[in-house]
Amino acid sequence: MSDRLFIFDTTLRDGEQVPGCQLNTVEKIQVAKALETLGVDVIEAGFPVSSPGDFNSVIEISKAVTWPTICALTRAVQKDIEVAAESLQYAKRKRIHTGIGTSDFHIKHKFNSNREEIIERAVAAVKYARRFVDDIEFYAEDAGRTDNEYLARVIEAVIKAGATVVNIPDTTGYCLPDEYGAKIKYLTDHVSNIDKAIISTHCHNDLGMATANTMSGILNGARQAEVTINGIGERAGNTALEEITMILKSHHEIKIGTNINTQKIYPVSRMVSSLMNMPVQPNKAVVGRNAFAHSSGIHQDGVLKNMETYEIIDPRDVGIDDNSIVLTARSGRAALKHRFSVLGVELSQDKLDEIYGQFLKLADRKKDINDDDILVLAGANRSQNRRIKIEYLQVTSGVGVRSVASLGLNVAGEKFEAVASGNGPVDAAIKALKKIIDRHMTLKEFTIQAISKGSDDMGKVHMQVEYNDQMYYGFGANTDIIAASVEAYIDCINKFVK
Ligand code: KIV
Ligand code: ZN
């Protein structure tokens, strides 16, 4: 391998910004440790000035991981930079990621400023950040829509001021691959001191071109790629780590390698999806449930004769191990613990005992327990300290009759009951719930997803409820889809009831 691409993971910053994907500090540490095992070079751990929670997470992640550089985001504002520097105090390797919008659109509408003043602010921010750390990354927000000649002037100035990495974000996901690649080439050719910094790509997927744009940037000289696990991120998401890594691994002729241990890709993907309650689309490249499933007879025949007939990636190279997913009611704690550790989840003995009890109950209802099921159990375990819990739920429904639900809730230790009829079982159950918890809530989104296959499968429900002009996201998982729906609704309510 003649050249090296640095992988900058922003799952915990750009990814975590997605509504409904917020993690607590313990969960962020879990993801950060998994990213370290995966082999990423840089972990963007948060935007410390944005909230005490983000600040604290950067501190704790810095303590918890050893090898990757820990990066904290700031605006080109002194206070942000001071707070970021403080949050990085325990990091063994640290980086401040500061920047400002450079497109005429940002300059005029966001800053009510002009091009020269923006260069001055960018330079001042980099110089100020250099007082605290040596490794400074500068981002030119909306670089995708920034005029190349002006962008080159900005980049030259910030490198002169001490930036060691220059990030060229396609913030809106607008660029075409040729255009983005040409932008990187333009900077390589026209920034006189470009050899003193690494060029980084940061692409969004609004038009489905994030991976193509990132590859085009790499092929034109970028040597850092900013990515997230499963491509999660604002709006349509960011470039997916697993896609860039596997493209470079599969296309030997490109001769650019990464430090990623690809066999950890699938477990980390499952962990992030489960902790963030963000399902991976079944046909998602590399990590989707169907990515290696061949249904047509011709394909199956071909793959059985020689895997390479239709598969360009060996599933084992990304950590998919078909023999591993058999957990049943007869599996012991050791088997469950082993499976969790393969998935990157380390549990204390107490936690394991607790989850094992739930695992046995689930195994009574469901024949084979898969990775998603146990990750959901670990997730359910995290949210047990909530104020409102279901005591019981019974629903009768059928064709030609109205559904009726009786629901018992435990609200902070007090028991409440209600019965309601509705237009279908979920409607009846939610109406019963609303009789007990009487608030002006509006259901805005309701998604049901079966985790894998089989009529005894777990169902996952994602919900969005509006209350007091604010949106709350909830999640529920149960072999009973009506119960999962009520759990998801309660998860929303638990986020705003005091
Ligand atoms: O998309 C973007 O421009 C960003 C920057 C803050 C790096 O996320
Ligand atoms: Zn971004």
Side-chain angles (χ1 to χ4, degrees):
M1 204 59 68
S2 53
D3 225 337
R4 162 99 141 85
L5 177 78
F6 293 99
I7 295 292
F8 174 115
D9 184 277
T10 185
T11 305
L12 294 172
R13 201 278 298 169
D14 228 351
E16 212 255 347
Q17 257 165 244
V18 177
C21 283
Q22 278 67 39
L23 301 179
N24 61 38
T25 302
V26 175
E27 292 161 344
K28 285 186 191 173
I29 292 172
Q30 196 176 319
V31 172
K33 284 184 165 170
L35 291 172
E36 179 171 35
T37 320
L38 182 63
V40 308
D41 299 287
V42 184
I43 295 176
E44 187 162 49
F47 179 16
V49 85
S50 68
S51 72
D54 251 41
F55 177 82
N56 195 39
S57 296
V58 179
I59 297 232
E60 295 306 325
I61 291 170
S62 300
K63 290 181 189 163
V65 306
T66 308
W67 298 112
T69 296
I70 303 301
C71 178
L73 185 80
T74 83
R75 295 165 298 181
V77 171
Q78 288 199 351
K79 175 79 187 159
D80 287 28
I81 294 168
E82 288 159 14
V83 173
E86 198 188 335
S87 73
L88 289 169
Q89 61 188 294
Y90 299 104
K92 288 97 196 157
R93 300 165 219 267
K94 49 185 101 174
R95 176 181 297 177
I96 290 179
H97 189 191
T98 190
I100 196 161
T102 54
S103 65
D104 287 335
F105 200 84
H106 276 231
I107 293 173
K108 184 157 180 265
H109 299 288
K110 193 165 159 187
F111 301 112
N112 188 22
S113 184
N114 60 61
R115 287 182 168 193
E116 296 317 311
E117 201 176 278
I118 291 295
I119 296 189
E120 278 169 30
R121 284 169 72 171
V123 165
V126 171
K127 284 191 174 156
Y128 193 63
R130 267 311 279 253
R131 292 196 197 176
F132 302 95
V133 297
D134 292 334
D135 187 356
I136 307 294
E137 175 165 339
F138 174 82
Y139 65 85
E141 194 177 6
D142 206 14
R145 294 187 299 172
T146 300
D147 158 52
N148 284 349
E149 190 266 326
Y150 173 64
L151 184 62
R153 284 210 287 133
V154 177
I155 297 303
E156 189 157 302
V158 294
I159 295 176
K160 195 160 163 233
T164 44
V165 181
V166 285
N167 177 10
I168 312 301
D170 182 23
T171 305
T172 58
Y174 180 74
C175 280
L176 293 167
D178 282 353
E179 192 186 353
Y180 188 75
K183 193 173 278 290
I184 302 297
K185 172 126 180 48
Y186 186 91
L187 296 176
T188 313
D189 294 344
H190 292 86
V191 173
S192 65
N193 50 5
I194 199 71
D195 57 314
K196 300 203 167 48
I198 293 170
I199 301 181
S200 183
T201 62
H202 180 113
C203 299
H204 280 268
N205 204 31
D206 299 65
L207 293 170
M209 294 189 287
T211 295
N213 282 344
T214 299
M215 279 313 301
S216 183
I218 295 168
L219 294 173
N220 282 284
R223 283 299 173 266
Q224 177 179 279
E226 307 200 1
V227 292
T228 58
I229 302 293
N230 301 334
I232 62 156
E234 291 249 73
R235 309 181 308 279
N238 291 54
T239 307
L241 178 148
E242 61 277 9
E243 294 175 14
I244 295 302
T245 311
M246 292 315 290
I247 291 170
L248 293 178
K249 192 174 164 110
S250 313
H251 281 265
H252 304 284
E253 75 283 6
I254 297 178
K255 293 193 171 47
I256 299 177
T258 68
N259 188 44
I260 297 297
N261 174 358
T262 61
Q263 291 183 346
K264 299 279 177 199
I265 284 180
Y266 182 70
V268 178
S269 158
R270 301 311 318 144
M271 177 198 278
V272 167
S273 162
S274 165
L275 287 175
M276 291 193 163
N277 293 330
M278 179 59 94
V280 175
Q281 73 190 63
N283 58 334
K284 165 81 183 63
V286 184
V287 290
R289 192 170 70 229
N290 295 349
F292 301 99
H294 299 272
S295 54
S296 98
I298 297 174
H299 281 207
Q300 284 176 348
D301 183 53
V303 168
L304 287 175
K305 286 182 178 136
N306 182 341
M307 196 207 80
E308 284 175 43
T309 325
Y310 286 104
E311 277 184 4
I312 52 162
I313 306 174
D314 182 340
R316 285 166 300 190
D317 276 354
V318 294
I320 296 177
D321 166 8
D322 273 351
N323 303 325
S324 63
I325 355 177
V326 194
L327 284 172
T328 67
R330 283 176 301 287
S331 304
R333 275 184 184 68
L336 184 64
K337 187 172 178 195
H338 171 73
R339 198 61 213 153
F340 270 125
S341 86
V342 170
L343 294 169
V345 181
E346 298 301 336
L347 298 169
S348 67
Q349 192 58 43
D350 284 356
K351 275 260 174 331
L352 178 68
D353 289 345
E354 218 171 299
I355 294 175
Y356 186 65
Q358 294 161 13
F359 162 77
L360 288 181
K361 279 190 204 151
L362 178 64
D364 274 348
R365 284 179 277 147
K366 187 170 187 284
K367 206 162 52 96
D368 294 336
I369 308 285
N370 60 33
D371 291 347
D372 279 310
D373 293 331
I374 64 167
L375 284 167
V376 164
L377 289 183
N381 186 265
R382 285 191 323 271
S383 55
Q384 259 180 10
N385 298 331
R386 296 291 167 87
R387 245 177 136 249
I388 307 170
K389 293 177 189 163
I390 303 180
E391 288 271 320
Y392 66 85
L393 170 66
Q394 189 180 44
V395 185
T396 50
S397 67
V399 179
V401 287
R402 265 178 85 70
S403 304
V404 178
S406 358
L407 177 68
L409 290 187
N410 181 322
V411 183
E414 236 186 295
K415 303 210 167 154
F416 296 87
E417 294 181 312
V419 178
S421 68
N423 186 17
V426 174
D427 188 42
I430 301 292
K431 281 191 173 135
L433 173 66
K434 283 180 157 180
K435 278 190 178 174
I436 302 174
I437 299 165
D438 182 21
R439 308 265 179 131
H440 290 288
M441 309 170 280
T442 320
L443 181 58
K444 289 285 181 190
E445 197 182 296
F446 176 34
T447 316
I448 299 184
Q449 182 208 11
I451 287 180
S452 52
K453 40 199 170 239
S455 55
D456 64 347
D457 202 357
M458 286 257 260
K460 280 181 168 184
V461 173
H462 297 263
M463 266 189 193
Q464 228 176 296
V465 164
E466 193 179 68
Y467 174 67
N468 259 355
D469 293 333
Q470 284 247 37
M471 212 58 98
Y472 296 88
Y473 292 79
F475 172 74
N478 203 302
T479 47
D480 181 332
I481 202 68
I482 320 296
S485 308
V486 176
E487 279 171 12
Y489 211 107
I490 290 178
D491 194 32
C492 295
I493 300 173
N494 269 320
K495 291 181 179 156
F496 60 77
V497 289
K498 295 280 169 287

